[in-house]
Amino acid sequence: MKLRKFVTAGVAVCAFLSIAACSDDGDSPSTTTAASSAATSSATSGGGGGLTDSSKPPTAAQLNTMLQTALDPNVPASEKTELVQNSEKDPVIFDKLVEAAAANPDLEYEIVAPVRPAGTDQAKANVKVKFPDTPEQQVEALIVFDNGTWKLSSTTVCLLLSAANETSPMCPATS
């Protein structure tokens, strides 16, 4: 059950990062890495504001692309830290998410539109999460504009990790 909670938390986190597929599609590692890099580059570049326009929150499609990047075992954790606020303090968290996704290939999740403004430099999105033989759940995630780009908020990540009895150096100590 602990793994299920952690995966749910990870999915919600990643979903807010806009990534949408856990299963292996048969691509070779170099093709998968190139596709993820191209998708990330496309999602973060101009055209429609991208992820670098603080006045326009990312789309659900952009967030799903970010999620795919976060769960791609071929993308180094050092590149993934641009996806979650304060994650440079714990880049290993992405390795844990990749492992959890691989251990739960039947898990389905998707960030769904609309992404809604939630104040200055903040937005919210819903993530649909579905485990086999269980009802679909919706989890809300907060996105923040931080250091020139939209990222999943560390507040959301830390709350989810806490719910799964996990800790991370990116989360402030709680008493």
Side-chain angles (χ1 to χ4, degrees), residues 90-140:
D90 187 15
V92 181
I93 194 71
F94 295 104
D95 295 333
K96 292 178 183 178
L97 292 174
V98 167
E99 289 172 15
N104 293 276
D106 294 333
L107 175 67
E108 297 175 23
Y109 52 91
E110 177 185 12
I111 299 171
V112 294
V115 177
R116 307 167 308 280
T120 304
D121 294 340
Q122 296 184 356
K124 292 183 180 181
N126 287 341
V127 181
K128 291 193 303 187
V129 181
K130 175 78 171 86
F131 284 97
D133 303 321
T134 62
E136 177 180 288
Q137 301 175 30
Q138 290 233 1
V139 180
E140 187 173 73

Side-chain angles (χ1 to χ4, degrees), residues 60-118:
Q62 289 170 314
L63 291 176
N64 279 306
T65 297
M66 291 170 67
L67 182 56
Q68 289 171 349
T69 301
L71 293 178
D72 187 338
N74 299 305
V75 176
S78 60
E79 291 179 27
K80 297 176 183 181
T81 59
E82 290 300 312
L83 305 173
V84 177
Q85 182 185 36
N86 296 324
S87 62
E88 66 279 358
K89 295 177 182 175
D90 187 15
V92 181
I93 194 71
F94 295 104
D95 295 333
K96 292 178 183 178
L97 292 174
V98 167
E99 289 172 15
N104 293 276
D106 294 333
L107 175 67
E108 297 175 23
Y109 52 91
E110 177 185 12
I111 299 171
V112 294
V115 177
R116 307 167 308 280

Side-chain angles (χ1 to χ4, degrees), residues 23-42 65-66 68-80 98:
S23 62
D24 180 11
D25 61 5
D27 284 345
S28 68
S30 60
T31 303
T32 303
T33 302
S36 293
S37 296
T40 301
S41 175
S42 172
T65 297
M66 291 170 67
Q68 289 171 349
T69 301
L71 293 178
D72 187 338
N74 299 305
V75 176
S78 60
E79 291 179 27
K80 297 176 183 181
V98 167

Side-chain angles (χ1 to χ4, degrees), residues 145-159:
F145 191 79
D146 180 57
N147 290 325
T149 189
W150 286 97
K151 300 177 181 183
L152 180 63
S153 100
S154 58
T155 303
T156 297
V157 174
C158 293
L159 179 65

Side-chain angles (χ1 to χ4, degrees), residues 48-66:
L51 297 175
T52 58
D53 183 350
S54 66
S55 69
K56 185 174 181 183
T59 65
Q62 289 170 314
L63 291 176
N64 279 306
T65 297
M66 291 170 67

